[in-house]
Amino acid sequence: MRIAQIAPLFESVPPRLYGGTERVVSYLTEELIRQGHQVTLFASGDSITSAELVPCVPRALRLDPDARDPIPHHALMLDKVRERADDFDILHFHVDYLHFPLFRSESGRAVTTLHGRQDLADHMPFYRWFSEMPLISISNAQRAPLPSAKFVGTVYHGIPVDLHKSTWTSAGGYLAFLGRISPEKRPDRAIAIARAAGVPLKIAAKVDKVDEAYFQQVIAPLLNGTDVEFVGEINESAKTEFLGRAAGLLFPIDWPEPFGLVMIEAMACGTPVLAFRCGSVPEIVEDGLTGRIVSSLDEAVQAIPELLALDRKAIRMRFEERFSSRRMASDYVKIYHSILRSHAARQTKISAVAALSAKAARSLEGSPAIGRLDALEQVIMRPEEGRRKGAAGAKQKRTSGCGASLGLEA
């Protein structure tokens, strides 16, 4: 199958540092190629891939000091995709809904994975207007706010099984927080839980510009002891050691998390996850097997001993069964085929209806019924002309037919 993967331009594919969406696109692209598909990747020029790369900006926008507005760059990328659309069987978009107006006519072979939250009021009228666009959710919780949207499946993220090495003992003896510093990710909760449980905490996270004030005003004042260490943003190669040596991952979110890639990255290392019951969490974490799901700070602190006692080998096994990139790619391919079959069936029906209509029209040509319909149309649509034609016809009939012998005139 010839597949186009269209990635956001904020990060390279895969990202040098933080970037969940672009990382998933990389894993999916590489696995599709391993499964024998022909893949073209539309992404930033500093991306590294086995696919044909169509560079749409020289480098990732987040790390480009000259890039201020992402919209023009993404619009140009979408135009490149449009120019080459006929080269592909499937167009797989990962840029939210930015492409909907341009690719509405391609809805039979264009599919969109939604990677962000969908509960914002601004989204609702947009999805209603473009209700024919096929969508894929990354958790069932993510699609809940859009009951009328055209979801064709849910595909959980997956990562290569050999990406992270499992660690059967938590040699570091600390709890880990990995991701980004933001109010909805609640690093302040992580600090409170770790301190109350008496376990050291390491925070490896990026701070976006939009969250700098939150970091300085809320988080930085809490980093006032040796029990909490702020590591900063780390790359992919450092994750294995950071997560693998941790006794557990804290995921104390306070928002409708669409998926939460870090949860399965921790599971790949055999590290249990303590997460708050929000968004996708109950779908990803199996309570009592791969982690603990809680609803309050007190409950979180009380759950720490049980969390640290979970079987790390069993956690790794469940990761391999549920969250491999092989499974993810296979799920997507099934959806690709389903979309193409549905589109082909619709086209067949349309062609059949058109053929029947044409045949019916030919069979009615020259029939008296058509003549009567034409006359009626003349009277209805052009009444004055119809009446003139009708009067002239009546006069001719009276003067040349039976009425002429009786001396009848118009």
Side-chain angles (χ1 to χ4, degrees):
M1 190 180 299
R2 300 170 303 162
I3 304 166
Q5 295 290 337
I6 301 97
L9 300 175
F10 299 106
E11 306 285 350
S12 61
V13 177
R16 286 170 51 191
L17 297 169
Y18 182 89
T21 298
E22 293 86 355
R23 198 172 304 283
V24 169
V25 173
S26 176
Y27 299 151
L28 173 59
T29 296
E30 300 306 312
E31 183 58 36
L32 287 172
I33 292 172
R34 277 191 287 272
Q35 294 185 12
H37 300 282
Q38 182 180 336
V39 184
T40 300
L41 175 64
F42 293 80
S44 64
D46 53 348
S47 298
I48 300 174
T49 179
S50 302
E52 175 194 351
L53 176 63
V54 179
C56 299
V57 291
R59 55 189 176 274
L61 297 181
R62 184 171 76 91
L63 302 178
D64 185 349
D66 297 326
R68 298 175 181 270
D69 185 353
I71 298 300
H73 303 289
H74 283 89
L76 289 172
M77 176 178 69
L78 294 179
D79 196 54
K80 288 185 177 183
V81 177
R82 182 192 58 79
E83 288 178 346
R84 292 195 52 185
D86 291 340
D87 295 343
F88 309 111
D89 302 310
I90 284 287
L91 304 170
H92 190 168
F93 292 91
H94 301 269
V95 292
D96 290 329
Y97 42 71
L98 190 62
H99 57 288
F100 282 11
L102 193 59
F103 288 90
R104 190 174 207 168
S105 62
E106 302 288 352
S107 62
R109 61 192 184 100
V111 64
T112 303
T113 294
L114 299 177
H115 290 268
R117 65 187 302 175
Q118 303 301 320
D119 61 329
L120 304 178
D122 295 335
H123 294 165
M124 311 306 174
F126 198 90
Y127 286 117
R128 283 196 297 268
W129 186 260
F130 293 97
S131 59
E132 72 275 32
M133 300 299 284
L135 306 174
I136 297 175
S137 52
I138 56 178
S139 69
N140 293 322
Q142 182 198 32
R143 65 163 71 183
L146 302 172
S148 60
K150 187 179 179 181
F151 283 100
V152 294
T154 292
V155 178
Y156 293 138
H157 289 336
I159 64 179
V161 293
D162 58 353
L163 181 64
H164 296 297
K165 183 180 179 180
S166 304
T167 305
W168 307 136
T169 59
S170 55
Y174 58 86
L175 295 172
F177 178 97
L178 176 63
R180 61 185 171 89
I181 300 294
S182 64
E184 64 271 15
K185 296 290 187 177
R186 295 303 298 267
D188 58 319
R189 274 182 177 173
I191 295 171
I193 293 168
R195 282 182 169 154
V199 183
L201 174 68
K202 290 188 178 183
I203 300 174
K206 75 166 183 173
V207 182
D208 284 331
K209 291 182 179 179
V210 69
D211 295 312
E212 285 179 354
Y214 170 74
F215 176 72
Q216 294 297 334
Q217 297 169 13
V218 178
I219 302 303
L222 300 177
L223 307 176
N224 56 359
T226 58
D227 56 341
V228 179
E229 179 184 354
F230 181 71
V231 178
E233 189 172 5
I234 62 175
N235 59 27
E236 189 69 14
S237 61
K239 281 184 181 179
T240 298
E241 181 177 0
F242 179 77
L243 289 172
R245 290 173 60 86
L249 173 75
L250 298 185
F251 196 67
I253 56 170
D254 194 14
W255 75 305
E257 176 68 59
F259 186 82
L261 190 64
V262 66
M263 290 190 286
I264 67 171
E265 291 173 331
M267 293 176 196
C269 298
T271 302
V273 179
L274 186 146
F276 274 56
R277 191 182 299 277
C278 293
S280 66
V281 165
E283 299 174 54
I284 310 305
V285 177
E286 295 171 274
D287 196 20
L289 178 58
T290 59
R292 286 300 321 276
I293 301 175
V294 299
S295 301
S296 68
L297 281 173
D298 288 343
E299 191 179 349
V301 174
Q302 293 171 9
I304 291 294
E306 182 180 347
L307 179 81
L308 304 186
L310 293 176
D311 186 342
R312 295 175 76 98
K313 290 184 179 179
I315 294 170
R316 168 68 190 195
M317 186 179 299
R318 288 301 286 160
F319 155 75
E320 292 181 5
E321 292 170 350
R322 300 187 64 206
F323 299 116
S324 71
S325 56
R326 184 182 303 111
R327 188 273 313 152
M328 174 178 66
S330 297
D331 287 352
Y332 274 120
V333 170
K334 290 176 185 177
I335 291 176
Y336 297 161
H337 284 302
S338 176
I339 290 172
L340 293 176
R341 283 195 301 268
S342 297
H343 180 62
R346 285 195 300 272
Q347 293 302 110
T348 300
K349 288 181 181 180
I350 292 171
S351 298
V353 171
L356 287 173
S357 299
K359 183 178 181 180
R362 287 194 299 271
S363 68
L364 291 174
E365 287 179 359
S367 70
I370 292 297
R372 290 193 294 272
L373 286 172
D374 287 343
L376 180 60
E377 179 187 9
Q378 292 289 341
V379 173
I380 294 173
M381 302 302 296
R382 290 179 289 181
E384 293 300 327
E385 183 177 347
R387 283 195 291 272
R388 285 198 301 272
K389 288 184 178 181
K395 181 176 181 180
Q396 181 181 7
K397 185 174 182 179
R398 287 194 293 269
T399 55
S400 60
C402 297
S405 63
L406 299 175
L408 297 176
E409 296 181 0

